[in-house]
Structures are given as C-alpha cells and as structure tokens.
Amino acid sequence: MPEILPAAYDSKIEGNVIFTRFDAALNWVRKNSLWPMPMGLACCAIELMATAASRFDIARFGAEVMRFSPRQCDVMIVAGTVTYKMALAVKRIYEQMPEPKWVIAMGACASTGGMYRSYAVLQGIDQLLPVDVYISGCPPRPEALLAGLMKLQEKISGERSFRKQKPELFEKLEDALS
Amino acid sequence: MTGQELLASLSKLFGAKLQNKTEFRGETTYTILPSDLREVAKFCRDELSFDYLIDITSIDNFGEEPRFEIVYELYSMTLTVHLRLKLRVSEEEGAVDTVSDIWPTANWHEREIYDMMGIKFNDHPDLRRILMWDGYPFFPLRKEFPLEGLPSEMPDVAFTKAAPLEGGPFVTQPSTATAKDREPRAHPPEL
C-alpha cells in the first residue's frame, strides 16, 4: 500500500501548488489588474494620458485598460478641477462602478480645489467620494501618478477583502470552524 | 476707404447718437445709447464692413448709475480697423436689445453676460445660462457677489458651498506652521 504524502511534499506536483491565504490571492489578483475610470476633467488628464502612453506605460502595473463605462472599472482617477456643475455627475459615475472600487484624487484641484478657491469649484472631491489616494502636484508628473497607483496597490494588498465582501459567509465559516 | 474715413462717416451719420469718442493708442471708442444699439450695429456691419464681432463683455460699476456697462469689440476684416462701442445699462432696466441676428457670434457672448452679470437681452433666441446651470440663483461676476461664493442647492442638479478663503484668495503669510495647518481647506468647518 503506497504511503499518502501531503501535497506539498509530493515531488510530482510540487512547484505547481501554492499555499496562501484566500485574501492574499484575491488582493493580488485585484491590485494587478486595476481598470481605471479616466475621470479627466482638466489638464491633469493630459498627464494621465501621458502615464498611459508608451514612455511611462501604466500597463507595467496592470492598469492600462482605461474603460469609459463605469460598469467595467475598479478605480476612478479623478484628474482635474471638479466644478460644482460636474460634481454630481462624477458622483453618479462613481456610484455606477461595481464594488470593489477605489478613488484616486489626482492633483491639487481634485484633492482640495487647488488654486480655484471660488464659487464654481468643489473644494476637493473627498467631499463627495471616499478617496483612497491623494496625489499632489499641479499637474502631477506621470511618475507621481504611478507612485500613487503603487500606493493604492499597497493599500489593496492589505485589505481583508473576503470578510468585507462576504460577511455572512465569513461568519458561518468561523462558526463552523470553532 | 481707410479706417479714419470710415470712422468719420460713422460720426457724420450718427453725430448726435455717438455721445463720447475717445482715442487711445489708435483704438477708437464710442459711447452710444442702448436704444440706438441695433441701428448703429447694423450700419457698422453693412455700411462700414465691421463684419467681425470679436467680443461682447460687461462691466459692473457698482455704486454708479447707470450701473452696468456693455462693451462691443468690432473688427473689420477688409480694412483691419478696430472699433469699440460702449453703452450703459441701469440695474432697473436690466436689458439691452440683442445683436445676435446681426452677428451670430453674439448669441453665446450675450448668454455669458446674462449668466455672469444678469443683464437680459431682448429678443435673444435662446437666453439660457451658459456656464452655470439653469436654476443657479446668483450672478457671480456682480460686485456684491463674494469671491468664495454662496451656498445653494438644487437637488439632483448641483449644489454650491462657500470656499474657505481665510482672509484672502491666497493666504501666503510666512509661518512655521505646516502646510496641513496653514491650508484652510485641510480643516473645513463642517461637511
């Protein structure tokens, strides 16, 4: 009768099996294929386009698939001045994005209103949306946007995604295990 | 016909109606009455070849009477001459005749003046706001309107709040405080 070895020590399948936490695997998948919603509202959008183009190449971080339908997006990059006239439209687009979703406030205007302390400009998109990463600059260089994207990836890899997404299932599992 | 002859013919025909002529660095400015606007404008376009309306703008001389001033910048493509027409409108009157049928470009310029200054244009084909949304209750470029804006609310359309100014549009007083403390928007009064 052959001895049954644990999977990790089976020389035939070793190297093809990885043990990890479910959250870690899920986060790894998510953070490396962030599909951005390019919410280009002003000059920051030019830098956003430069980031996506060949010289800086946001594809190196798996975020090259700019989708113009919010239903296919994971991260909204608010790039530019959010006027009050546009503000609720931005919010509506954010609400149309499926969970899980993140927001990057790119540049001074999206973060705080920037130099526009005026009657027409929303003083920071964080008054309407939960912002994950703020990027300084007016406009930020593509490197800064990539650094912000990497920060977001770091944040995603620390998330407890499974518990957040399926709280009931998680509790059931915990009860069953205890 | 040169530019000077052209302007001379204008003043000959509308002698009484051109109230005030000023010259500055070769730019001629006439002040006219709002009631004469369409007549003068038509003459300028048809007889004097001012085929290009560069801009219309408005000035708020708050505290003076009549309060508003509207400026028409004309240009003749054929003779390369500029002409500036000005007229004054009081707040009670609050309306001028449109010139959008004479120069179609005036359509949006007049809408902008209506949006920002609240001056109406009689017989304008489509007098809606052009920058702010329909229903916004203020005219932002009027002098009594504060720079930081006023709060307003139109459910499902737009809202506005006053921007924190901390005593000026840009606070640049030297200080040892960090940017987080100096920046008025870092600690908004309430959200």
Side-chain angles (χ1 to χ4, degrees):
Chain A
M1 194 168 172
E3 197 190 347
I4 297 166
L5 292 166
Y9 298 103
D10 187 335
S11 60
K12 281 180 187 160
I13 57 169
E14 196 181 347
N16 297 329
V17 174
I18 297 165
F19 287 99
T20 181
R21 285 186 303 117
F22 182 57
D23 268 0
L26 193 63
N27 290 339
W28 180 74
V29 170
R30 281 181 180 171
K31 78 175 185 150
N32 287 305
S33 76
L34 284 168
W35 290 17
M37 169 83 232
M39 198 72 233
L41 300 170
C43 36
C44 277
I46 304 295
E47 297 299 305
L48 174 62
M49 285 184 269
T51 316
S54 51
R55 190 181 180 89
F56 296 97
D57 197 10
I58 204 170
R60 294 179 294 149
F61 303 89
E64 76 276 23
V65 197
M66 304 271 174
R67 290 285 128 165
F68 293 89
S69 161
R71 298 179 203 283
Q72 299 170 347
C73 294
D74 301 308
V75 53
M76 177 184 263
I77 303 177
V78 184
T81 317
V82 188
T83 57
Y84 283 118
K85 199 176 183 178
M86 193 64 191
L88 291 187
V90 175
K91 189 168 186 236
R92 197 167 305 131
I93 291 168
Y94 172 79
E95 282 163 355
Q96 286 172 357
M97 285 162 59
E99 294 274 2
K101 52 190 170 184
W102 299 273
V103 178
I104 295 177
M106 180 183 178
C109 295
S111 303
T112 67
M115 64 177 193
Y116 299 103
R117 286 190 199 176
S118 85
Y119 62 93
V121 175
L122 181 69
Q123 303 293 301
I125 191 62
D126 53 0
Q127 299 197 12
L128 282 181
L129 312 180
V131 176
D132 295 280
V133 176
Y134 299 87
I135 302 170
S136 62
C138 184
R141 282 195 55 86
E143 293 94 324
L145 178 58
L146 292 175
L149 188 73
M150 287 157 76
K151 267 266 179 285
L152 181 64
Q153 288 182 329
E154 259 171 55
K155 185 179 177 178
I156 291 170
S157 55
E159 274 180 1
R160 310 193 69 171
S161 328
F162 180 46
R163 174 179 289 202
K164 214 161 105 185
Q165 197 156 346
K166 304 262 185 224
E168 297 89 9
L169 180 62
F170 193 86
E171 272 166 31
K172 252 188 236 169
L173 278 175
E174 260 187 342
D175 289 346
L177 289 171
S178 61
Chain B
M1 190 156 52
T2 66
Q4 288 310 312
E5 290 168 16
L6 189 119
L7 295 175
S9 73
L10 178 72
S11 49
K12 206 183 287 171
L13 263 158
F14 289 100
K17 290 176 179 174
L18 302 172
Q19 292 181 316
N20 185 20
K21 181 190 176 189
T22 49
E23 287 265 357
F24 180 72
R25 291 184 180 164
E27 297 176 3
T28 311
T29 306
Y30 283 109
T31 308
I32 57 173
L33 287 171
S35 50
D36 298 333
L37 170 67
R38 285 185 59 81
E39 197 184 345
V40 174
K42 269 205 182 103
F43 182 78
C44 286
R45 185 195 65 177
D46 297 334
E47 311 296 327
L48 304 184
S49 78
F50 283 107
D51 46 3
Y52 178 27
L53 178 66
I54 299 173
D55 195 15
I56 312 176
T57 188
S58 58
I59 302 162
D60 182 5
N61 298 304
F62 188 61
E64 285 177 30
E65 193 52 46
R67 179 175 167 180
F68 299 113
E69 199 168 4
I70 300 183
V71 184
Y72 296 80
E73 288 281 348
L74 305 181
Y75 183 70
S76 166
M77 292 279 194
T78 45
L79 299 168
T80 67
V81 185
H82 283 267
L83 174 66
R84 189 177 295 122
L85 297 175
K86 284 185 178 182
L87 54 87
R88 305 289 295 246
V89 197
S90 67
E91 196 174 356
E92 303 84 65
E93 199 177 356
V96 200
D97 290 335
T98 182
V99 292
S100 58
D101 54 330
I102 298 168
W103 293 284
T105 186
N107 190 319
W108 282 18
H109 287 143
E110 289 176 348
R111 278 178 67 186
E112 188 189 357
I113 291 172
Y114 167 64
D115 189 359
M116 292 287 120
M117 210 65 101
I119 303 166
K120 291 203 170 75
F121 289 87
N122 303 326
D123 302 324
H124 190 283
D126 182 27
L127 195 64
R128 287 177 295 132
R129 281 179 176 268
I130 193 167
L131 295 168
M132 306 305 276
W133 47 95
D134 278 324
Y136 182 68
F138 310 108
F139 298 111
L141 287 195
R142 286 191 175 185
K143 287 289 182 202
E144 79 265 20
F145 186 83
L147 178 66
E148 67 265 31
L150 292 167
S152 71
E153 175 77 50
M154 266 189 87
D156 298 328
V157 178
F159 68 93
T160 54
K161 288 178 189 172
L165 288 185
E166 296 282 293
F170 296 97
V171 185
T172 52
Q173 281 169 357
S175 149
T176 52
T178 62
K180 190 168 162 288
D181 300 319
R182 276 186 284 121
E183 170 55 55
R185 282 167 299 199
H187 35 87
E190 88 281 345
L191 289 179

